[in-house]
């Protein structure tokens, strides 16, 4: 049976990280995973909207969940923060009183949320539902010799009561997935640290030190590239790599790939269709791996 | 299972070093049991703190394989199942170390005092009648009241690790939030002010505090509550508040984030101008389209109707 999901691209996949959308769609098409974009989805609040208006932030995500329920499909995201925000909303709406209250507002749009929507992430679908053995069998271009530092960041793991796919203190999904693609998984000490993205405006200097520290740790671990399941982390580590490097130093630049791009390369999808030219830190060497 | 190995980060007052201790496994024990076993049978010089052995005093928090835990509560078998027979045991992170696993709480206590973590009672309360509150009112502060000052949240905080001169320990914000919302307290501004002056918008949302609190306190949620309270009181002239408000407004306007105006709204025009090199970097790679305006989502009228209904419900 074909796997089907309601697709929640999230705002940055419409803008600065549009390449992650292209790559996600291309990978799912290649694997026979059908994505049905959730019509009328809105911003998840990005872990900021609740600071301005908690009730409104919950209600708009209840609407997103209600729309997914109408489709009768699990909601697939390609962003760790979107996943966390939607799952947090689902957890809050697990309380009957809260759900009844929010449903009184959803009525205004002719909607109701019953509480059944599932929210998942591309990484979890690949490492879980689809399965790494099956993924391995679909690899046509093994990334042999490519040393990949798997960077989880925060929201795909924490808090574990909401994000319970794997042990937050000892995650293995990226390592296992990288190995399934034929690449060499590099376990590096900064894999669960924060990239600083969500505080880049009010705490710029700290954010850049965090960004630079992660990239430097990946370089020092001998990685050829970093791969991450979160487009916000990717943007921070890639787009802000110059500031990060200026803040903490570093021997060389390192390309930072979206999870979907790395998978796409191994599936034989050309780098051009995965948006690898759209990176700030040159990823041409990875797109052409193993080169001549 | 045979042997358990603790690789312990030691500190003798001058130098820091690792030392391994091996002892026979016993089922259904805690991390603290292992530390006591080492001290009693292998090395009396190993120094750590523990008191109540009931997860209420907060004295015995240490880091095991990079995560803060209460040694008296952390089940050894669970950790061995997760990490294997070698456990690394370190003092809490983001604390000065006194000796081995003992950290210095003096500077932390001084920082906590800034929050005035005590009741500044409303005038109507008297010695004779006390400070009564309803069960509902108590429920609002119940979670934060569970804090035992063990330091686990501070140990793993990514912002503190990056710099503590402009940010308090997560538990400090939880204490602030507790007294801001306490129905018996008459001086919310006194508890909120230190957050406004230091760090309120600098939390990086890493969720380590929420993850590591052994008493299920959620400092990140308390920080969000303090932020809402600050906005309610009109403290919106800062990048953090402007950023949060811009998300709220974008959702009402089109349903989606507008990347171009987001930076302008958050930073203001002058600061945004200093980001021109960054913008050009993105333009060169086609990552930024300054003319892009997200069209309103299908059903935007419904989104706005929901937001109006939420406002009425509140």
């Amino acid at each position: 049976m074909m796997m089907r999901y309601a697709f929640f691209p999230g705002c940055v996949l419409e803008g600065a990280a549009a390449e992650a959308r292209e790559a996600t769609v291309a990978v799912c098409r290649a694997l026979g995973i059908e994505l049905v974009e959730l019509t009328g989805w809105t911003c998840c609040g990005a872990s900021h909207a609740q600071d301005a208006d908690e009730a409104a932030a919950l209600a708009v995500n209840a609407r997103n969940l209600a729309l997914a329920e109408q489709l009768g499909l699990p909601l697939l995201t390609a962003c760790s923060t979107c996943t966390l925000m939607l799952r947090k909303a689902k957890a809050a709406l697990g309380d009957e009183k809260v759900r009844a209250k929010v449903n009184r507002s959803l009525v205004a749009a002719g909607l109701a949320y019953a509480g059944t929507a599932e929210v998942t992430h591309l990484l979890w679908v690949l490492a879980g539902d689809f399965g790494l053995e099956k993924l391995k069998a679909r690899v046509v271009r093994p990334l042999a010799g490519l040393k990949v530092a798997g960077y989880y960041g925060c929201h795909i793991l924490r808090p574990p009561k909401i994000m319970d796919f794997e042990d937050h203190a000892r995650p293995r999904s990226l390592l296992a997935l990288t190995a399934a693609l034929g690449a060499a998984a590099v376990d590096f000490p900064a894999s669960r640290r924060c990239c600083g993205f969500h505080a880049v405006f009010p705490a710029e200097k700290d954010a850049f030190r965090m960004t630079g520290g992660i990239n430097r740790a990946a370089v020092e671990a001998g990685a050829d590239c970093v791969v991450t399941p979160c487009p916000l982390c990717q943007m921070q580590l890639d787009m802000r790599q110059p500031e990060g490097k200026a803040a903490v130093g570093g021997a060389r630049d390192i390309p930072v790939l979206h999870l979907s791009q790395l998978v796409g390369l191994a599936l034989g999808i050309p780098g051009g269709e995965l948006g690898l030219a759209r990176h700030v830190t040159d990823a041409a060497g990875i797109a052409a791996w193993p080169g001549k | 299972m045979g042997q358990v190995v603790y690789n312990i980060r030691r500190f003798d007052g001058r130098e820091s070093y690792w030392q391994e201790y091996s002892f026979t496994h016993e089922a259904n024990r805690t991390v603290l049991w292992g530390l006591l076993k080492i001290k009693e049978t292998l090395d009396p010089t190993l120094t750590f703190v523990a008191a109540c052995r009931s997860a209420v005093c907060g004295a015995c928090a240490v880091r095991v394989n990079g995560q803060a835990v209460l040694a008296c509560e952390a089940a050894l078998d669970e950790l061995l199942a997760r990490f294997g027979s070698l456990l690394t045991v370190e003092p809490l992170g983001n604390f000065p170390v006194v000796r081995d696993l003992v950290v210095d709480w003096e500077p932390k206590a001084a920082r906590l005092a800034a929050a005035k973590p005590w009741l500044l009672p409303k005038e109507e309360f008297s010695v004779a009648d006390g400070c009564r509150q309803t069960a509902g009112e108590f429920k609002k502060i119940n979670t934060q009241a569970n804090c035992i000052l063990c330091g686990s949240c501070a140990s793993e905080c990514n912002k503190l690790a990056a710099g503590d001169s402009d940010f308090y320990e997560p538990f400090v914000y939880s204490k602030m939030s507790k007294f801001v919302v306490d129905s018996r307290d008459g001086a919310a501004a006194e508890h909120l002010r230190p957050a406004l002056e230091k760090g309120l918008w600098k939390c990086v949302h890493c969720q380590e505090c929420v993850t590591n609190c052994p008493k299920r306190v959620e400092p990140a949620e308390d920080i969000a509550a303090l932020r809402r309270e600050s906005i309610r009181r009109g403290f919106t002239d800062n990048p953090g508040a402007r950023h949060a408000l811009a998300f709220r407004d974008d959702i009402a306007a089109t349903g989606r984030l507008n990347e171009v105006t987001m930076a302008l709204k958050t930073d203001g025009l002058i600061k945004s101008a200093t980001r021109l090199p960054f913008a050009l970097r993105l333009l060169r790679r086609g990552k930024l389209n300054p003319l892009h305006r997200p069209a309103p989502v299908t059903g935007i009228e419904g989104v706005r109707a929901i937001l109006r209904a939420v406002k009425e419900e509140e």
Side-chain angles (χ1 to χ4, degrees), chain B residues 79 100 105 119 135 138 143 168 180 210 216 237 242 249 272-273 276 295:
Chain B
L79 290 164
D100 294 343
W105 269 90
L119 200 66
F138 175 71
T143 308
Y168 289 111
V180 164
V210 176
R216 299 191 179 86
D237 189 19
R242 287 194 295 263
D249 296 346
S272 291
L276 209 57

Side-chain angles (χ1 to χ4, degrees), chain A residues 166-189:
Chain A
E166 59 190 317
D167 186 344
H168 70 93
R170 196 181 153 276
R172 285 291 174 269
S173 59
L174 277 178
L175 289 170
L177 186 138
T178 303
L181 302 177
V186 176
D187 198 2
F188 79 123

Side-chain angles (χ1 to χ4, degrees), chain A residues 147-158:
Chain A
K147 294 195 276 297
V148 181
Y151 173 70
Y152 297 88
C154 302
H155 292 174
I156 196 73
L157 301 171
R158 297 187 291 269

Side-chain angles (χ1 to χ4, degrees), chain B residues 206-281:
Chain B
C206 73
Q207 302 293 325
E208 287 281 16
C209 56
V210 176
T211 298
N212 288 287
C213 176
K215 308 310 278 187
R216 299 191 179 86
V217 182
E218 302 190 318
E221 300 296 325
D222 292 321
I223 290 170
L226 290 170
R227 288 171 170 182
R228 283 192 291 277
E229 182 63 18
S230 76
I231 289 175
R232 201 180 67 76
R233 286 168 181 261
F235 296 101
T236 53
D237 189 19
N238 63 77
R242 287 194 295 263
H243 197 56
L245 290 165
F247 269 101
R248 184 198 66 184
D249 296 346
D250 278 1
I251 292 171
T254 66
R256 291 185 193 162
L257 159 73
N258 183 329
E259 285 177 341
V260 177
T261 57
M262 176 57 69
L264 284 169
K265 284 181 185 172
T266 304
D267 272 342
L269 202 58
I270 294 168
K271 175 78 180 170
S272 291
T274 66
R275 297 196 195 276
L276 209 57
F278 175 59
L280 290 173
R281 184 192 303 161

Side-chain angles (χ1 to χ4, degrees), chain A residues 11-12 14-17 19 39-43 45-56 59-60 63 84 88 101 104-106 108-109 154-155 158-161 167-170 192-194 198-204 206 209-210 234 238-240 242-243 277-280 282, chain B residues 65-67 82-83 158-159 162-163 166 201-208 210-212 218 221 223-224 227-228 231 239-240 243-245 247-248 251 254-257 259 262-263 266-267 271 275 278 281-282 285-288 292 297-300 302-303 305-307 309-311 313-314:
Chain A
C11 297
V12 299
E14 301 286 299
E19 69 281 356
T39 304
W41 62 267
T42 62
C43 172
S47 83
H48 296 284
Q50 81 286 337
D51 292 350
D53 190 334
E54 187 178 33
V60 292
R63 176 183 169 276
L84 173 59
K88 255 181 103 168
K101 186 179 172 189
R104 285 200 291 279
S105 301
L106 291 189
C154 302
H155 292 174
R158 297 187 291 269
K161 69 172 181 180
D167 186 344
H168 70 93
R170 196 181 153 276
R192 300 183 305 112
R193 270 198 233 146
C194 175
H198 284 298
V200 76
F201 288 105
E204 187 180 78
D206 295 313
R209 275 200 295 276
M210 294 177 184
Q234 192 279 343
D238 175 48
M239 290 169 15
R240 293 300 197 173
E243 285 87 354
R278 241 174 142 258
H279 290 216
V280 165
D282 193 10
Chain B
N65 287 45
Q67 299 290 308
R82 282 168 79 185
F83 298 110
N158 277 258
K159 170 60 190 94
D166 56 358
W201 293 97
K202 297 201 181 232
C203 161
V204 294
H205 304 192
C206 73
Q207 302 293 325
E208 287 281 16
V210 176
T211 298
N212 288 287
E218 302 190 318
E221 300 296 325
I223 290 170
R227 288 171 170 182
R228 283 192 291 277
I231 289 175
H243 197 56
L245 290 165
F247 269 101
R248 184 198 66 184
I251 292 171
T254 66
R256 291 185 193 162
L257 159 73
E259 285 177 341
M262 176 57 69
T266 304
D267 272 342
K271 175 78 180 170
R275 297 196 195 276
F278 175 59
R281 184 192 303 161
L282 302 189
R285 292 293 187 157
K287 291 190 79 72
L288 182 69
H292 176 73
V297 300
T298 305
I300 186 67
V303 176
I306 291 167
L307 293 175
V310 168
K311 209 166 235 174
E313 176 95 27
E314 294 293 294

Side-chain angles (χ1 to χ4, degrees), chain B residues 142-164:
Chain B
N142 191 20
T143 308
Q144 300 91 327
N146 286 336
C147 174
I148 56 173
L149 292 177
C150 68
S152 292
C153 57
S155 176
E156 311 311 326
C157 173
N158 277 258
K159 170 60 190 94
L160 274 186
D164 68 357

